[in-house]
Amino acid sequence: MTQTAPAESAEADGEQTRFASLDPRTGEVVGHHPVHTAADVEAAVLRARTAAAEWAALGFDGRRARITEWRKLLVRKLDEFQSLISNETGKSADDARTELALVIDHLHWAGKNASRVLGKRRVSPGMLMYNHSASIEYKPLGVVGVIGPWNYPAFTPMGSIAYAIAAGNAVVFKPSEYTPGVGEFLARTFAEASPEHAALFQVVTGFGETGAALCRAGVDKVAFTGSTPTGKRVMAACAETLTPVLVECGGKDALIVADDADVKAAAAAAVWGGIFNSGQTCAGVERVYVAEAVADQFIELVTKQASKLRPGGEPNAPFGPITMPRQVEVIQAHVRDALDRGGRAVVGGLDSIRPPYVAPIVLVDVPEESTAVTEETFGPTLVITRVADADEGVRLANALRYGLGGSVFSRGRGEELARKMRCGMVSVNAVLAFAAIPGLPFGGVGDSGFGRIHGEDGLREFASPQSVTRLRFRAMLNPMTYERGSRTVRHVVRLTRMLYGR
Ligand code: NDP
């Protein structure tokens, strides 16, 4: 991804040593950042390792107190942080504020729940091992490398960072080359809130090579969020050293509108879910399957609402520009493909694409083979497809290799249809609600990746379970010694038959 961010080269040896992040609305430079080399990344990981040991030694309560200080500082600096996010991504002030509210809620949840989820707890030893006590404890991994995208430059990586730190790890974070300032802001505020642990959360900036170096720098886990092709590269690099990975990739999420849906609510949700943040949302709505019985009404409502929305650079615009210039070509290619294959635009069309802005585009009658249906568009577009009923909608929704999230609108069958969807998260009669509930795990299946951020699973993702047993007293029958007689094993087998054979 080095082609679009402006670079500044060191004069001596032609090596690029720093780069600029730009405001996509104006092209103005927001800030300059170093291009960290593999040696820089290794040094950061080394520093993090010492910091990790000190952080782990604080225990849950000590860590929670420091996370609370960080959370409060982020709240105090919310306006400053919001404008930095808007400057680096171009997103509207309200989209950035919404993102930050979620960041803070998740940070709170992770800090508060780490002890309950990961702390030592007793486990029943079972009938055969009644003379032992058994316990499990989730220990920190050490140093976690986090690689993040630009579309939610705070919320997305913090889904890993907050949970990894709460679980007792140090973090080295490589933000997207489009949003390095947001990454640095996060690390700076952490250091301000907890100065004696400044090395616990470090940021390394640069391009894809810096991210690749992080995969090879000896971290204990890599948490990657980004596109599926890069996810595969990250996994391949991590395989060289058997470094475990968490892979959160793209999606092509579908919204199903059943014939018993509240059509008005479904239309409003489809418009917001497809267009907010300029459609640059991994789990945003890209496809809609609407039951024939309510399709006309639904399409009319969506058309009416989406036609009113215009992107802009002003802070109160409903949504901003496309952050990554290269993405405009993808949006254009998908819309063109849909139209070439017989699709119709009921809102906007190719004319809506005026870089860096793309106005809403709503397409109907698009064949399922079109790239507008099969690939992630990441723009303010919706493809609406009429289906006989919600079941056909679910079948088509499940046909892709992506499987991140989804939504269902139905008064009577919501949860039943949700369970039939092949994806990691579903909202019934809402869109994206799952992302805003910190206790729920977030992640996908298939090409959308594996592993989970958020919730209890998100905490355990950054910890290693250790099982411990302790002998409480000698058992009358102990088959796990050569001192056992054949009678002992016979008794154990008889007991097994009695307990489990009926
Ligand atoms: P990319 O895959 O292009 O980049 C993601 C990150 O990986 C960036 O920091 C990038 O650095 C870095 N990177 C690039 N090449 C390598 C490499 N070889 N080794 C290691 N790291 C590398 O994604 P985008 O930034 O364009 O983000 C958009 C994508 O993210 C969409 O597909 C979206 O769906 C997905 N996403 C998924 C989410 C989820 O939770 N499932 C949430 C949010 C977004 P650089 O930018 O410097 O090239």
Side-chain angles (χ1 to χ4, degrees), residues 2-26:
T2 52
Q3 66 272 48
T4 46
E8 302 199 0
S9 297
E11 283 161 21
D13 54 5
E15 283 265 313
Q16 192 178 325
T17 56
R18 62 179 201 148
F19 68 106
S21 67
L22 302 181
D23 185 331
R25 298 168 296 193
T26 59

Side-chain angles (χ1 to χ4, degrees), residues 105-114 116-117 163 438-439 455-456 459:
D105 200 22
H106 275 275
L107 185 57
H108 170 70
W109 194 94
K112 182 175 163 205
N113 288 284
R116 175 181 62 82
V117 177
Y163 289 76
E456 297 187 3
L459 282 168

Side-chain angles (χ1 to χ4, degrees), residues 1 147-151 156 174-177 206-208 211-212 215 224-227 230 233-234 248-251 282 324 376 378 404 442:
M1 287 193 16
I147 300 174
W150 46 264
N151 60 334
T156 292
K174 153 68 179 75
S176 161
E177 69 199 46
F207 304 110
C215 299
F224 168 81
T225 310
S227 64
T230 311
R233 283 197 284 277
V234 164
E248 297 280 356
C249 296
C282 54
M324 184 170 75
E376 187 179 49
F378 235 48
L404 191 55
F442 185 102

Side-chain angles (χ1 to χ4, degrees), residues 30 79-89 181-183 185 188:
V30 180
D79 290 342
E80 185 190 340
F81 201 8
Q82 172 268 306
S83 73
L84 175 59
I85 291 176
S86 292
N87 290 345
E88 283 200 324
T89 61
V182 173
F185 187 94
R188 205 164 52 241

Side-chain angles (χ1 to χ4, degrees), residues 301-464:
L301 286 168
V302 168
T303 303
K304 215 160 149 188
Q305 290 175 33
S307 314
K308 284 191 212 143
L309 298 171
R310 285 278 161 275
E314 60 283 7
N316 63 352
F319 63 100
I322 300 303
T323 305
M324 184 170 75
R326 195 158 47 93
Q327 195 64 27
V328 174
E329 291 161 32
V330 175
I331 298 167
Q332 204 156 30
H334 289 187
V335 174
R336 181 168 289 128
D337 186 68
L339 298 174
D340 285 353
R341 289 174 188 262
R344 282 187 303 123
V346 292
V347 175
L350 283 166
D351 287 353
S352 311
I353 302 169
R354 295 179 186 177
Y357 295 100
V358 178
I361 302 171
V362 180
L363 301 162
V364 296
D365 301 336
V366 181
E368 290 296 291
E369 313 75 68
S370 168
T371 51
V373 175
T374 57
E375 289 175 19
E376 187 179 49
T377 305
F378 235 48
T381 63
L382 281 173
V383 177
I384 304 178
T385 305
R386 292 165 185 268
V387 285
D389 52 26
D391 295 286
E392 188 190 357
V394 170
R395 190 175 55 73
L396 292 174
N398 289 349
L400 300 188
R401 284 192 53 79
Y402 283 120
L404 191 55
S407 14
V408 175
F409 275 76
S410 165
R411 285 191 171 95
R413 297 184 60 204
E415 292 193 30
E416 175 213 331
L417 292 165
R419 294 190 66 220
K420 291 181 174 162
M421 291 189 77
R422 180 189 157 272
C423 59
M425 307 149 299
V426 187
S427 300
V428 176
N429 298 332
V431 284
L432 278 146
F434 46 73
I437 298 176
L440 284 179
F442 185 102
V445 301
D447 275 5
S448 294
F450 53 83
R452 292 295 181 266
I453 54 172
H454 303 175
E456 297 187 3
D457 297 80
L459 282 168
R460 288 194 197 102
E461 198 66 59
F462 299 107
S464 169

